[in-house]
Amino acid sequence: MAKHTYGLIGHPVKHSLSPAMQNAAFHALGIDAEYLLYDVEPEKLENFLKNATANNISGLNVTIPHKIQAKTYIERKGTLDENAARLGAVNTIKIAEDGTLCGYNTDGPGFYRSLVEDLGFEPEGKNIFVLGAGGAARACIMYLGNGPKRIFVSDIDKTKTDDLKAHYKKYYDERRLTVVGEGDFKDRLKECELLVNATPVGLKESDPSPIDASLLHHGLYVYDLVYNRPATELVRKANSLKLHAMTGLGMLLCQGAIAFEIWTGAKAPVAVMRKALKEALK
Ligand code: NAP
């Protein structure tokens, strides 16, 4: 058995790319650790976390459907970092030898790091359009906070955008976040320097672009959070218009690298992790 065990808890978890990325990182740095997948049903989550130390687990990633329940549990039994508390969701847990749990969320920081370092886009003072208002959009927007000049958000489900706006305004200047309906979509996007696709449109090879290519204006940067293929239709369309565009593989990598750094205290071997991710995707 490895000295330290890490892993992903979710339901389901079997298609995760995280083991390839994290195990490659442990191997590259000579750390005696392994990263496993744990399919845990929601009603068994608390028990799993309670027994984590007894099972030699030093750290976890948390995915759907456990991110909010894990936050609630750690709020009672451990400590939450500021970003996870503000977002209301945990995707990374560090477990001390005495069993103390500390909850983090690396989705927003991972998105931010990839946006700046991979896409070359600095969001501060810019106008940003986010398509989709689910968990991923929320993580990105709550991390961007008051940095951008304005954030526009649109979702086919209006309850999601309304919830997001209500949450955002508890922490930030609500005038910066505008919910956009279909009617003014085109005009609002025209004002923006960055488009983020935070919908699942693009996950399937046959998916169209979630927005018409005629709406992609000159100079727009495009970040598609979908990461399971080298290019989505949105990214292909943007590239054909010579726009800076990328898929979410960089975000996946960066959120994993930040989690690795939280667990081990070592600098993540990002190039090794990127290579492992790309190979696992094939
Ligand atoms: P989610 O909670 O299901 O949220 C997506 C939202 O988009 C839903 O409210 C959905 O509405 C809405 N939507 C669907 N089609 C739309 C359209 N054409 N126009 C506007 N809104 C639309 O999903 P999520 O967990 O936030 O994930 C979103 C995407 O981000 C997924 O592709 C996921 O793989 C990706 N992601 C990437 C990373 C990364 O590291 N790169 C991390 C997390 C998530 P309905 O529910 O009504 O369909």
Side-chain angles (χ1 to χ4, degrees), residues 21 24-25 28-29 113 117-118 250 253-254 256-258 260-261 267-277:
M21 165 168 68
L29 297 194
R113 195 188 276 186
E117 292 179 7
D118 300 330
L253 170 68
C254 290
I258 297 167
F260 180 92
E261 287 166 1
K267 187 153 173 43
V270 174
V272 169
M273 295 169 86
R274 189 187 301 271
K275 185 162 174 271
L277 259 186

Side-chain angles (χ1 to χ4, degrees), residues 65-225:
H66 299 320
K67 291 186 184 188
I68 296 171
Q69 202 189 335
K71 174 244 161 197
T72 312
Y73 180 79
I74 294 174
E75 220 165 22
R76 283 188 279 121
K77 304 280 183 185
T79 49
L80 280 180
D81 95 316
E82 197 190 333
N83 174 44
R86 195 168 43 217
L87 177 60
V90 159
N91 85 333
T92 300
I93 303 173
K94 182 172 179 163
I95 304 166
E97 272 171 28
D98 66 359
T100 312
L101 304 180
C102 192
Y104 302 84
N105 198 299
T106 66
D107 283 333
F111 166 70
Y112 186 92
R113 195 188 276 186
S114 176
L115 187 65
V116 173
E117 292 179 7
D118 300 330
L119 192 62
F121 185 88
E122 300 272 354
E124 282 71 26
K126 307 278 177 41
N127 287 341
I128 294 172
F129 197 109
V130 180
L131 192 58
R138 183 179 285 233
C140 297
I141 290 175
M142 288 303 293
Y143 194 73
L144 290 171
N146 276 332
K149 188 168 163 202
R150 295 192 69 182
I151 303 173
F152 300 104
V153 62
S154 182
D155 193 294
I156 43 176
D157 181 350
K158 193 162 170 336
T159 57
K160 294 251 179 78
T161 43
D162 290 349
D163 275 3
L164 177 51
K165 171 94 186 180
H167 191 74
Y168 181 90
K169 77 182 198 191
K170 284 187 212 156
Y171 299 90
Y172 302 116
D173 175 2
E174 67 166 311
R175 290 167 302 177
R176 286 182 198 268
L177 182 69
T178 304
V179 173
V180 177
E182 240 182 274
D184 47 359
F185 191 104
K186 190 173 162 187
D187 290 337
R188 293 314 200 180
L189 182 59
K190 233 188 266 171
E191 295 175 43
C192 291
E193 286 109 320
L194 171 72
L195 167 67
V196 179
N197 175 36
T199 77
V201 181
L203 281 173
K204 288 193 242 115
E205 181 62 50
S206 58
D207 278 350
S209 166
I211 69 157
D212 196 276
S214 65
L215 301 181
L216 303 175
H217 58 81
H218 180 69
L220 183 71
Y221 283 69
V222 176
Y223 199 107
D224 193 337
L225 298 194

Side-chain angles (χ1 to χ4, degrees), residues 4 6 20-33 256-257 259-273:
H4 295 284
Y6 297 87
M21 165 168 68
Q22 300 294 356
N23 284 323
F26 292 135
H27 184 75
L29 297 194
I31 296 174
D32 185 9
F260 180 92
E261 287 166 1
I262 288 170
W263 295 327
T264 64
K267 187 153 173 43
V270 174
V272 169
M273 295 169 86

